[in-house]
Short mmCIF file of all heavy atoms in Angstrom, two decimals:
data_model
loop_
_atom_site.label_atom_id
_atom_site.label_comp_id
_atom_site.label_asym_id
_atom_site.label_seq_id
_atom_site.Cartn_x
_atom_site.Cartn_y
_atom_site.Cartn_z
N MET S 1 114.90 113.51 105.15
CA MET S 1 114.44 112.42 104.32
C MET S 1 113.04 112.75 103.81
O MET S 1 112.29 113.48 104.46
CB MET S 1 114.40 111.13 105.11
CG MET S 1 115.75 110.68 105.60
SD MET S 1 115.77 108.93 106.00
CE MET S 1 116.09 108.27 104.39
N LYS S 2 112.74 112.19 102.64
CA LYS S 2 111.42 112.39 102.05
C LYS S 2 110.77 111.04 101.77
O LYS S 2 111.43 110.08 101.42
CB LYS S 2 111.53 113.19 100.75
CG LYS S 2 111.89 114.63 100.96
CD LYS S 2 111.73 115.40 99.68
CE LYS S 2 112.02 116.86 99.93
NZ LYS S 2 111.79 117.66 98.74
N GLU S 3 109.47 111.05 101.90
CA GLU S 3 108.69 109.83 101.67
C GLU S 3 108.34 109.69 100.19
O GLU S 3 107.88 110.62 99.56
CB GLU S 3 107.41 109.93 102.48
CG GLU S 3 106.48 108.77 102.31
CD GLU S 3 105.19 108.98 103.08
OE1 GLU S 3 105.24 109.39 104.25
OE2 GLU S 3 104.13 108.73 102.49
N LEU S 4 108.55 108.47 99.68
CA LEU S 4 108.17 108.16 98.30
C LEU S 4 106.84 107.42 98.24
O LEU S 4 105.98 107.74 97.43
CB LEU S 4 109.24 107.29 97.64
CG LEU S 4 110.50 107.98 97.18
CD1 LEU S 4 111.54 106.95 96.79
CD2 LEU S 4 110.21 108.91 96.03
N VAL S 5 106.69 106.40 99.09
CA VAL S 5 105.53 105.50 99.01
C VAL S 5 105.12 105.09 100.42
O VAL S 5 105.97 104.89 101.29
CB VAL S 5 105.89 104.22 98.21
CG1 VAL S 5 104.76 103.22 98.20
CG2 VAL S 5 106.31 104.56 96.80
N ARG S 6 103.81 104.92 100.61
CA ARG S 6 103.25 104.28 101.81
C ARG S 6 102.52 103.04 101.37
O ARG S 6 101.74 103.08 100.42
CB ARG S 6 102.25 105.20 102.50
CG ARG S 6 102.86 106.27 103.31
CD ARG S 6 101.79 107.09 104.00
NE ARG S 6 102.41 108.24 104.60
CZ ARG S 6 102.21 108.63 105.83
NH1 ARG S 6 101.34 107.99 106.58
NH2 ARG S 6 102.83 109.67 106.31
N SER S 7 102.75 101.95 102.09
CA SER S 7 102.08 100.70 101.71
C SER S 7 102.14 99.71 102.86
O SER S 7 103.04 99.77 103.70
CB SER S 7 102.76 100.11 100.47
OG SER S 7 102.18 98.87 100.14
N ASN S 8 101.20 98.79 102.86
CA ASN S 8 101.23 97.64 103.77
C ASN S 8 101.75 96.39 103.07
O ASN S 8 101.76 95.32 103.66
CB ASN S 8 99.84 97.36 104.34
CG ASN S 8 99.48 98.31 105.45
OD1 ASN S 8 100.34 98.82 106.13
ND2 ASN S 8 98.20 98.55 105.61
N ASP S 9 102.14 96.52 101.81
CA ASP S 9 102.59 95.38 101.02
C ASP S 9 104.12 95.26 101.11
O ASP S 9 104.85 95.99 100.42
CB ASP S 9 102.15 95.59 99.56
CG ASP S 9 102.48 94.41 98.67
OD1 ASP S 9 103.31 93.56 99.06
OD2 ASP S 9 101.91 94.35 97.58
N PRO S 10 104.63 94.34 101.93
CA PRO S 10 106.08 94.22 102.10
C PRO S 10 106.81 93.79 100.84
O PRO S 10 107.96 94.17 100.62
CB PRO S 10 106.24 93.19 103.22
CG PRO S 10 104.95 92.44 103.25
CD PRO S 10 103.90 93.38 102.74
N VAL S 11 106.14 93.02 99.99
CA VAL S 11 106.77 92.59 98.74
C VAL S 11 106.97 93.78 97.80
O VAL S 11 108.04 93.96 97.22
CB VAL S 11 105.93 91.47 98.06
CG1 VAL S 11 106.49 91.11 96.70
CG2 VAL S 11 105.85 90.25 98.96
N LYS S 12 105.95 94.59 97.68
CA LYS S 12 106.03 95.79 96.84
C LYS S 12 107.14 96.72 97.34
O LYS S 12 107.96 97.21 96.56
CB LYS S 12 104.69 96.52 96.83
CG LYS S 12 104.72 97.83 96.09
CD LYS S 12 103.35 98.51 96.18
CE LYS S 12 103.37 99.88 95.52
NZ LYS S 12 102.04 100.49 95.57
N LEU S 13 107.17 96.96 98.64
CA LEU S 13 108.18 97.85 99.20
C LEU S 13 109.58 97.30 98.99
O LEU S 13 110.51 98.05 98.68
CB LEU S 13 107.91 98.09 100.68
CG LEU S 13 106.68 98.94 100.98
CD1 LEU S 13 106.35 98.89 102.46
CD2 LEU S 13 106.88 100.36 100.51
N SER S 14 109.74 96.00 99.15
CA SER S 14 111.04 95.37 98.92
C SER S 14 111.47 95.52 97.46
O SER S 14 112.64 95.80 97.17
CB SER S 14 110.96 93.89 99.30
OG SER S 14 112.17 93.25 99.04
N TRP S 15 110.53 95.33 96.54
CA TRP S 15 110.83 95.48 95.11
C TRP S 15 111.23 96.91 94.79
O TRP S 15 112.22 97.15 94.08
CB TRP S 15 109.61 95.07 94.28
CG TRP S 15 109.81 95.23 92.81
CD1 TRP S 15 110.60 94.47 92.00
CD2 TRP S 15 109.21 96.22 91.98
NE1 TRP S 15 110.53 94.94 90.72
CE2 TRP S 15 109.68 96.01 90.67
CE3 TRP S 15 108.32 97.26 92.21
CZ2 TRP S 15 109.29 96.80 89.60
CZ3 TRP S 15 107.93 98.05 91.14
CH2 TRP S 15 108.41 97.82 89.86
N LEU S 16 110.50 97.89 95.32
CA LEU S 16 110.83 99.29 95.07
C LEU S 16 112.19 99.64 95.67
O LEU S 16 112.98 100.36 95.05
CB LEU S 16 109.74 100.20 95.64
CG LEU S 16 108.35 100.05 95.01
CD1 LEU S 16 107.34 100.94 95.73
CD2 LEU S 16 108.37 100.34 93.52
N GLN S 17 112.47 99.12 96.83
CA GLN S 17 113.75 99.37 97.47
C GLN S 17 114.89 98.77 96.64
O GLN S 17 115.94 99.38 96.48
CB GLN S 17 113.74 98.78 98.88
CG GLN S 17 114.90 99.19 99.74
CD GLN S 17 114.76 98.67 101.17
OE1 GLN S 17 114.15 97.63 101.42
NE2 GLN S 17 115.31 99.42 102.11
N ALA S 18 114.66 97.59 96.06
CA ALA S 18 115.67 96.96 95.20
C ALA S 18 115.90 97.77 93.92
O ALA S 18 117.04 97.91 93.47
CB ALA S 18 115.25 95.53 94.86
N LEU S 19 114.83 98.30 93.34
CA LEU S 19 114.98 99.16 92.15
C LEU S 19 115.87 100.36 92.45
O LEU S 19 116.75 100.71 91.66
CB LEU S 19 113.62 99.67 91.67
CG LEU S 19 112.74 98.74 90.88
CD1 LEU S 19 111.40 99.42 90.61
CD2 LEU S 19 113.40 98.35 89.58
N LEU S 20 115.64 100.96 93.58
CA LEU S 20 116.43 102.13 93.97
C LEU S 20 117.88 101.73 94.27
O LEU S 20 118.81 102.45 93.90
CB LEU S 20 115.79 102.84 95.16
CG LEU S 20 114.42 103.45 94.86
CD1 LEU S 20 113.80 103.98 96.15
CD2 LEU S 20 114.51 104.54 93.81
N ALA S 21 118.07 100.60 94.91
CA ALA S 21 119.42 100.14 95.21
C ALA S 21 120.21 99.90 93.92
O ALA S 21 121.41 100.20 93.86
CB ALA S 21 119.37 98.86 96.04
N ASP S 22 119.54 99.39 92.88
CA ASP S 22 120.20 99.19 91.59
C ASP S 22 120.68 100.50 90.99
O ASP S 22 121.61 100.52 90.19
CB ASP S 22 119.26 98.49 90.60
CG ASP S 22 119.10 97.01 90.88
OD1 ASP S 22 119.91 96.46 91.65
OD2 ASP S 22 118.16 96.42 90.33
N ALA S 23 120.05 101.60 91.37
CA ALA S 23 120.43 102.93 90.89
C ALA S 23 121.33 103.65 91.90
O ALA S 23 121.53 104.86 91.82
CB ALA S 23 119.19 103.77 90.61
N ASP S 24 121.85 102.90 92.88
CA ASP S 24 122.72 103.45 93.92
C ASP S 24 122.03 104.52 94.76
O ASP S 24 122.64 105.51 95.16
CB ASP S 24 124.02 104.00 93.33
CG ASP S 24 124.90 102.90 92.77
OD1 ASP S 24 124.93 101.82 93.38
OD2 ASP S 24 125.55 103.12 91.74
N ILE S 25 120.74 104.32 95.01
CA ILE S 25 119.99 105.21 95.90
C ILE S 25 119.62 104.39 97.13
O ILE S 25 118.93 103.37 97.02
CB ILE S 25 118.72 105.75 95.21
CG1 ILE S 25 119.09 106.62 94.01
CG2 ILE S 25 117.87 106.53 96.22
CD1 ILE S 25 117.90 107.10 93.21
N GLU S 26 120.07 104.85 98.28
CA GLU S 26 119.74 104.16 99.51
C GLU S 26 118.33 104.56 99.95
O GLU S 26 118.01 105.74 100.04
CB GLU S 26 120.73 104.51 100.61
CG GLU S 26 120.47 103.75 101.88
CD GLU S 26 121.50 104.02 102.96
OE1 GLU S 26 122.43 104.79 102.73
OE2 GLU S 26 121.32 103.46 104.05
N ALA S 27 117.52 103.57 100.17
CA ALA S 27 116.14 103.80 100.64
C ALA S 27 115.94 102.96 101.89
O ALA S 27 116.43 101.84 101.99
CB ALA S 27 115.15 103.40 99.57
N ILE S 28 115.20 103.53 102.83
CA ILE S 28 114.89 102.77 104.04
C ILE S 28 113.38 102.69 104.21
O ILE S 28 112.65 103.53 103.69
CB ILE S 28 115.55 103.38 105.30
CG1 ILE S 28 115.02 104.79 105.57
CG2 ILE S 28 117.05 103.38 105.19
CD1 ILE S 28 115.42 105.32 106.93
N ILE S 29 112.97 101.66 104.90
CA ILE S 29 111.54 101.47 105.16
C ILE S 29 111.31 101.75 106.64
O ILE S 29 111.87 101.08 107.51
CB ILE S 29 111.09 100.05 104.79
CG1 ILE S 29 111.33 99.80 103.30
CG2 ILE S 29 109.62 99.85 105.16
CD1 ILE S 29 111.08 98.39 102.85
N LEU S 30 110.50 102.76 106.90
CA LEU S 30 110.17 103.12 108.27
C LEU S 30 108.84 102.48 108.68
O LEU S 30 107.99 102.22 107.84
CB LEU S 30 110.05 104.64 108.41
CG LEU S 30 111.31 105.45 108.13
CD1 LEU S 30 111.03 106.92 108.35
CD2 LEU S 30 112.47 105.00 109.01
N ASP S 31 108.70 102.26 109.95
CA ASP S 31 107.46 101.75 110.56
C ASP S 31 107.18 100.28 110.25
O ASP S 31 106.09 99.81 110.53
CB ASP S 31 106.23 102.59 110.15
CG ASP S 31 106.41 104.06 110.45
OD1 ASP S 31 106.95 104.36 111.53
OD2 ASP S 31 106.01 104.88 109.63
N GLN S 32 108.15 99.55 109.73
CA GLN S 32 107.84 98.17 109.38
C GLN S 32 107.61 97.31 110.62
O GLN S 32 106.77 96.42 110.60
CB GLN S 32 108.88 97.57 108.46
CG GLN S 32 110.20 97.23 109.03
CD GLN S 32 111.13 96.74 107.93
OE1 GLN S 32 110.93 97.03 106.76
NE2 GLN S 32 112.14 96.01 108.30
N HIS S 33 108.28 97.58 111.71
CA HIS S 33 108.06 96.78 112.92
C HIS S 33 106.74 97.14 113.60
O HIS S 33 106.04 96.26 114.09
CB HIS S 33 109.23 96.93 113.88
CG HIS S 33 110.52 96.45 113.28
ND1 HIS S 33 110.73 95.15 112.92
CD2 HIS S 33 111.64 97.13 112.92
CE1 HIS S 33 111.92 95.02 112.39
NE2 HIS S 33 112.49 96.21 112.38
N MET S 34 106.39 98.40 113.61
CA MET S 34 105.10 98.81 114.19
C MET S 34 103.95 98.21 113.39
O MET S 34 102.98 97.72 113.95
CB MET S 34 104.97 100.33 114.22
CG MET S 34 105.79 100.98 115.31
SD MET S 34 105.34 100.42 116.97
CE MET S 34 103.65 100.94 117.07
N SER S 35 104.06 98.26 112.08
CA SER S 35 103.01 97.72 111.24
C SER S 35 102.85 96.22 111.46
O SER S 35 101.74 95.71 111.52
CB SER S 35 103.33 98.02 109.77
OG SER S 35 102.30 97.58 108.94
N THR S 36 103.94 95.51 111.62
CA THR S 36 103.89 94.07 111.85
C THR S 36 103.25 93.76 113.20
O THR S 36 102.42 92.86 113.31
CB THR S 36 105.31 93.47 111.80
OG1 THR S 36 105.87 93.76 110.52
CG2 THR S 36 105.29 91.98 112.01
N LEU S 37 103.61 94.52 114.21
CA LEU S 37 103.04 94.30 115.54
C LEU S 37 101.54 94.50 115.58
O LEU S 37 100.82 93.83 116.30
CB LEU S 37 103.70 95.24 116.56
CG LEU S 37 105.13 94.93 116.95
CD1 LEU S 37 105.69 96.04 117.83
CD2 LEU S 37 105.22 93.60 117.66
N GLU S 38 101.07 95.45 114.80
CA GLU S 38 99.65 95.79 114.82
C GLU S 38 98.84 95.04 113.76
O GLU S 38 97.70 95.37 113.49
CB GLU S 38 99.46 97.30 114.64
CG GLU S 38 100.05 98.12 115.77
CD GLU S 38 99.39 97.82 117.12
OE1 GLU S 38 98.19 97.54 117.15
OE2 GLU S 38 100.11 97.87 118.13
N GLY S 39 99.43 94.07 113.10
CA GLY S 39 98.69 93.25 112.14
C GLY S 39 98.41 93.96 110.82
O GLY S 39 97.39 93.73 110.20
N THR S 40 99.31 94.79 110.39
CA THR S 40 99.22 95.55 109.13
C THR S 40 97.93 96.35 109.01
O THR S 40 97.24 96.33 108.00
CB THR S 40 99.41 94.65 107.89
OG1 THR S 40 98.36 93.70 107.83
CG2 THR S 40 100.75 93.96 107.88
N LEU S 41 97.59 97.05 110.05
CA LEU S 41 96.44 97.95 110.00
C LEU S 41 96.70 99.07 108.99
O LEU S 41 97.82 99.56 108.89
CB LEU S 41 96.20 98.57 111.39
CG LEU S 41 95.79 97.61 112.50
CD1 LEU S 41 95.76 98.33 113.84
CD2 LEU S 41 94.44 97.00 112.19
N PRO S 42 95.68 99.48 108.25
CA PRO S 42 95.88 100.52 107.24
C PRO S 42 96.44 101.83 107.80
O PRO S 42 97.14 102.55 107.11
CB PRO S 42 94.49 100.73 106.66
CG PRO S 42 93.71 99.54 107.04
CD PRO S 42 94.33 98.97 108.27
N MET S 43 96.15 102.12 109.05
CA MET S 43 96.62 103.38 109.61
C MET S 43 98.11 103.34 109.95
O MET S 43 98.70 104.37 110.23
CB MET S 43 95.81 103.75 110.84
CG MET S 43 95.96 102.81 111.99
SD MET S 43 94.82 103.24 113.28
CE MET S 43 94.36 101.63 113.84
N LEU S 44 98.72 102.17 109.92
CA LEU S 44 100.14 102.03 110.23
C LEU S 44 100.91 101.51 109.03
O LEU S 44 101.59 100.49 109.10
CB LEU S 44 100.34 101.10 111.42
CG LEU S 44 99.81 101.59 112.75
CD1 LEU S 44 99.94 100.53 113.81
CD2 LEU S 44 100.53 102.85 113.17
N GLN S 45 100.82 102.20 107.94
CA GLN S 45 101.51 101.77 106.74
C GLN S 45 103.01 102.01 106.86
O GLN S 45 103.46 102.92 107.55
CB GLN S 45 100.97 102.52 105.53
CG GLN S 45 99.54 102.17 105.23
CD GLN S 45 99.04 102.89 104.00
OE1 GLN S 45 99.36 104.04 103.76
NE2 GLN S 45 98.25 102.20 103.21
N ARG S 46 103.76 101.18 106.16
CA ARG S 46 105.20 101.35 106.09
C ARG S 46 105.51 102.48 105.10
O ARG S 46 104.76 102.69 104.16
CB ARG S 46 105.84 100.05 105.61
CG ARG S 46 105.64 98.91 106.57
CD ARG S 46 106.04 97.60 105.91
NE ARG S 46 105.87 96.48 106.80
CZ ARG S 46 104.87 95.62 106.75
NH1 ARG S 46 103.93 95.75 105.85
NH2 ARG S 46 104.79 94.63 107.59
N ARG S 47 106.62 103.18 105.33
CA ARG S 47 106.99 104.31 104.46
C ARG S 47 108.36 104.06 103.85
O ARG S 47 109.32 103.78 104.56
CB ARG S 47 107.02 105.61 105.27
CG ARG S 47 105.66 105.98 105.84
CD ARG S 47 105.75 107.19 106.72
NE ARG S 47 106.45 106.83 107.96
CZ ARG S 47 107.08 107.70 108.74
NH1 ARG S 47 107.14 108.98 108.42
NH2 ARG S 47 107.68 107.30 109.84
N LEU S 48 108.44 104.19 102.54
CA LEU S 48 109.71 104.09 101.82
C LEU S 48 110.29 105.50 101.72
O LEU S 48 109.67 106.39 101.14
CB LEU S 48 109.49 103.50 100.43
CG LEU S 48 110.73 103.28 99.59
CD1 LEU S 48 111.63 102.22 100.21
CD2 LEU S 48 110.35 102.88 98.18
N MET S 49 111.48 105.69 102.30
CA MET S 49 112.08 107.01 102.42
C MET S 49 113.44 107.05 101.72
O MET S 49 114.16 106.05 101.70
CB MET S 49 112.29 107.35 103.90
CG MET S 49 111.08 107.18 104.79
SD MET S 49 109.83 108.42 104.54
CE MET S 49 110.61 109.84 105.29
N VAL S 50 113.77 108.23 101.18
CA VAL S 50 115.09 108.47 100.59
C VAL S 50 115.60 109.82 101.07
O VAL S 50 114.83 110.65 101.56
CB VAL S 50 115.06 108.45 99.04
CG1 VAL S 50 114.68 107.07 98.52
CG2 VAL S 50 114.13 109.50 98.49
N LEU S 51 116.89 110.04 100.90
CA LEU S 51 117.47 111.33 101.24
C LEU S 51 116.89 112.42 100.36
O LEU S 51 116.53 112.16 99.20
CB LEU S 51 118.98 111.30 101.08
CG LEU S 51 119.75 110.39 102.04
CD1 LEU S 51 121.22 110.35 101.66
CD2 LEU S 51 119.57 110.85 103.47
N ASP S 52 116.81 113.62 100.88
CA ASP S 52 116.25 114.75 100.12
C ASP S 52 116.91 114.90 98.76
O ASP S 52 116.23 115.12 97.75
CB ASP S 52 116.41 116.05 100.90
CG ASP S 52 115.55 116.11 102.15
OD1 ASP S 52 114.74 115.19 102.37
OD2 ASP S 52 115.70 117.08 102.90
N GLU S 53 118.24 114.77 98.72
CA GLU S 53 118.95 114.98 97.46
C GLU S 53 118.73 113.88 96.43
O GLU S 53 118.99 114.06 95.25
CB GLU S 53 120.46 115.20 97.69
CG GLU S 53 121.14 114.07 98.42
CD GLU S 53 121.24 114.29 99.93
OE1 GLU S 53 120.45 115.04 100.51
OE2 GLU S 53 122.12 113.67 100.52
N ASP S 54 118.21 112.72 96.86
CA ASP S 54 117.92 111.61 95.95
C ASP S 54 116.46 111.56 95.54
O ASP S 54 116.07 110.75 94.69
CB ASP S 54 118.28 110.27 96.60
CG ASP S 54 119.77 110.11 96.81
OD1 ASP S 54 120.55 110.68 96.01
OD2 ASP S 54 120.16 109.40 97.75
N TYR S 55 115.63 112.40 96.14
CA TYR S 55 114.18 112.29 95.99
C TYR S 55 113.70 112.37 94.53
O TYR S 55 112.96 111.50 94.07
CB TYR S 55 113.49 113.36 96.83
CG TYR S 55 111.99 113.33 96.73
CD1 TYR S 55 111.25 112.33 97.36
CD2 TYR S 55 111.30 114.28 95.98
CE1 TYR S 55 109.87 112.29 97.26
CE2 TYR S 55 109.92 114.25 95.88
CZ TYR S 55 109.22 113.26 96.53
OH TYR S 55 107.86 113.21 96.41
N LEU S 56 114.09 113.39 93.81
CA LEU S 56 113.59 113.55 92.43
C LEU S 56 114.04 112.41 91.52
O LEU S 56 113.25 111.90 90.71
CB LEU S 56 114.02 114.91 91.86
CG LEU S 56 113.37 116.12 92.53
CD1 LEU S 56 113.93 117.41 91.94
CD2 LEU S 56 111.86 116.08 92.40
N ARG S 57 115.29 112.01 91.65
CA ARG S 57 115.79 110.90 90.83
C ARG S 57 115.08 109.59 91.21
O ARG S 57 114.70 108.80 90.34
CB ARG S 57 117.30 110.76 91.00
CG ARG S 57 117.93 109.83 89.98
CD ARG S 57 119.44 109.99 89.93
NE ARG S 57 120.09 109.59 91.14
CZ ARG S 57 120.73 108.43 91.29
NH1 ARG S 57 120.81 107.59 90.29
NH2 ARG S 57 121.30 108.13 92.43
N ALA S 58 114.85 109.39 92.50
CA ALA S 58 114.15 108.18 92.96
C ALA S 58 112.72 108.16 92.44
O ALA S 58 112.24 107.11 91.98
CB ALA S 58 114.17 108.11 94.49
N ARG S 59 112.03 109.28 92.49
CA ARG S 59 110.66 109.36 91.94
C ARG S 59 110.65 108.97 90.47
O ARG S 59 109.80 108.20 90.03
CB ARG S 59 110.10 110.78 92.07
CG ARG S 59 109.36 111.06 93.32
CD ARG S 59 108.67 112.40 93.26
NE ARG S 59 107.48 112.35 92.44
CZ ARG S 59 106.26 112.03 92.88
NH1 ARG S 59 106.09 111.74 94.13
NH2 ARG S 59 105.23 112.02 92.07
N ARG S 60 111.59 109.52 89.73
CA ARG S 60 111.65 109.25 88.29
C ARG S 60 111.88 107.76 88.02
O ARG S 60 111.25 107.16 87.14
CB ARG S 60 112.74 110.11 87.65
CG ARG S 60 112.74 110.09 86.15
CD ARG S 60 113.66 111.14 85.51
NE ARG S 60 114.97 111.23 86.14
CZ ARG S 60 115.38 112.25 86.92
NH1 ARG S 60 114.58 113.26 87.17
NH2 ARG S 60 116.59 112.26 87.43
N ILE S 61 112.76 107.15 88.80
CA ILE S 61 113.04 105.72 88.62
C ILE S 61 111.80 104.89 88.89
O ILE S 61 111.46 103.98 88.12
CB ILE S 61 114.21 105.29 89.54
CG1 ILE S 61 115.52 105.89 89.01
CG2 ILE S 61 114.29 103.78 89.65
CD1 ILE S 61 116.65 105.83 89.99
N LEU S 62 111.11 105.19 89.97
CA LEU S 62 109.90 104.41 90.29
C LEU S 62 108.78 104.66 89.30
O LEU S 62 108.06 103.73 88.92
CB LEU S 62 109.45 104.72 91.72
CG LEU S 62 110.43 104.34 92.83
CD1 LEU S 62 109.79 104.56 94.20
CD2 LEU S 62 110.93 102.92 92.69
N GLU S 63 108.63 105.89 88.86
CA GLU S 63 107.60 106.19 87.85
C GLU S 63 107.92 105.50 86.53
O GLU S 63 107.02 104.97 85.87
CB GLU S 63 107.47 107.70 87.66
CG GLU S 63 106.78 108.37 88.84
CD GLU S 63 106.83 109.88 88.79
OE1 GLU S 63 107.66 110.46 88.05
OE2 GLU S 63 106.03 110.51 89.52
N ASP S 64 109.19 105.46 86.14
CA ASP S 64 109.60 104.76 84.92
C ASP S 64 109.33 103.27 85.01
O ASP S 64 109.13 102.61 83.99
CB ASP S 64 111.07 105.01 84.61
CG ASP S 64 111.37 106.43 84.13
OD1 ASP S 64 110.39 107.16 83.81
OD2 ASP S 64 112.55 106.80 84.08
N ALA S 65 109.33 102.74 86.24
CA ALA S 65 109.04 101.31 86.46
C ALA S 65 107.55 101.04 86.53
O ALA S 65 107.14 99.90 86.74
CB ALA S 65 109.73 100.85 87.72
N GLY S 66 106.73 102.11 86.38
CA GLY S 66 105.28 101.91 86.37
C GLY S 66 104.60 102.16 87.69
O GLY S 66 103.39 101.93 87.82
N GLU S 67 105.33 102.62 88.68
CA GLU S 67 104.75 102.87 89.99
C GLU S 67 104.02 104.23 89.96
O GLU S 67 104.57 105.22 89.53
CB GLU S 67 105.85 102.91 91.05
CG GLU S 67 105.35 103.05 92.45
CD GLU S 67 104.52 101.89 92.93
OE1 GLU S 67 104.67 100.77 92.42
OE2 GLU S 67 103.70 102.11 93.83
N GLU S 68 102.79 104.22 90.42
CA GLU S 68 102.02 105.47 90.52
C GLU S 68 102.29 106.08 91.89
O GLU S 68 101.93 105.49 92.91
CB GLU S 68 100.53 105.20 90.34
CG GLU S 68 100.18 104.79 88.92
CD GLU S 68 98.69 104.64 88.73
OE1 GLU S 68 97.93 105.37 89.39
OE2 GLU S 68 98.29 103.79 87.93
N LEU S 69 102.91 107.23 91.88
CA LEU S 69 103.27 107.90 93.13
C LEU S 69 102.34 109.07 93.37
O LEU S 69 101.89 109.74 92.42
CB LEU S 69 104.72 108.40 93.07
CG LEU S 69 105.77 107.33 92.83
CD1 LEU S 69 107.14 107.96 92.68
CD2 LEU S 69 105.77 106.32 93.96
N PRO S 70 102.05 109.35 94.63
CA PRO S 70 101.19 110.50 94.93
C PRO S 70 101.92 111.80 94.57
O PRO S 70 103.14 111.88 94.65
CB PRO S 70 100.98 110.41 96.44
CG PRO S 70 102.08 109.55 96.94
CD PRO S 70 102.49 108.64 95.82
N THR S 71 101.16 112.79 94.16
CA THR S 71 101.74 114.10 93.87
C THR S 71 101.98 114.81 95.18
O THR S 71 101.16 114.76 96.08
CB THR S 71 100.85 114.93 92.95
OG1 THR S 71 99.57 115.04 93.57
CG2 THR S 71 100.71 114.28 91.59
N ARG S 72 103.10 115.46 95.28
CA ARG S 72 103.44 116.17 96.53
C ARG S 72 103.96 117.52 96.20
O ARG S 72 104.62 117.78 95.29
CB ARG S 72 104.51 115.41 97.30
CG ARG S 72 104.03 114.00 97.56
CD ARG S 72 104.26 113.60 98.93
NE ARG S 72 103.61 112.30 99.02
CZ ARG S 72 103.47 111.63 100.07
NH1 ARG S 72 103.92 112.10 101.17
NH2 ARG S 72 102.88 110.48 100.12
#
């Protein structure tokens, strides 16, 4: 799996996950329970992940939606 986005904003992550689902790309959010337990500390950000084979298409979809993604 590859990481697309890190964030403490659950609304943003949910929206990005929905965009990907509309394109038939399964995305999961890792660390959401740890982040919640620790009070959304910046060091425990949630990670939006996709399968390796979906990564480039997922990046393109999120970038087309206006999301600024880190270069990797």
Side-chain angles (χ1 to χ4, degrees):
M1 297 200 85
K2 289 191 176 184
E3 178 184 314
L4 284 169
V5 176
R6 282 182 189 228
S7 177
N8 282 333
D9 184 343
V11 175
K12 175 182 176 178
L13 290 169
S14 177
W15 178 72
L16 297 176
Q17 191 174 30
L19 281 176
L20 295 173
D22 285 345
D24 293 323
I25 296 175
E26 183 177 359
I28 63 169
I29 300 173
L30 297 181
D31 305 319
Q32 73 184 21
H33 298 296
M34 284 301 298
S35 184
T36 301
L37 288 174
E38 296 298 326
T40 64
L41 295 172
M43 65 187 142
L44 294 174
Q45 294 182 322
R46 296 168 179 103
R47 297 175 289 156
L48 182 66
M49 309 288 287
V50 295
L51 293 174
D52 292 354
E53 57 266 24
D54 293 331
Y55 180 74
L56 292 177
R57 192 165 66 102
R59 269 189 76 89
R60 190 170 44 252
I61 289 166
L62 297 186
E63 287 170 342
D64 288 348
E67 185 64 25
E68 290 185 32
L69 301 176
T71 56
R72 305 226 174 186

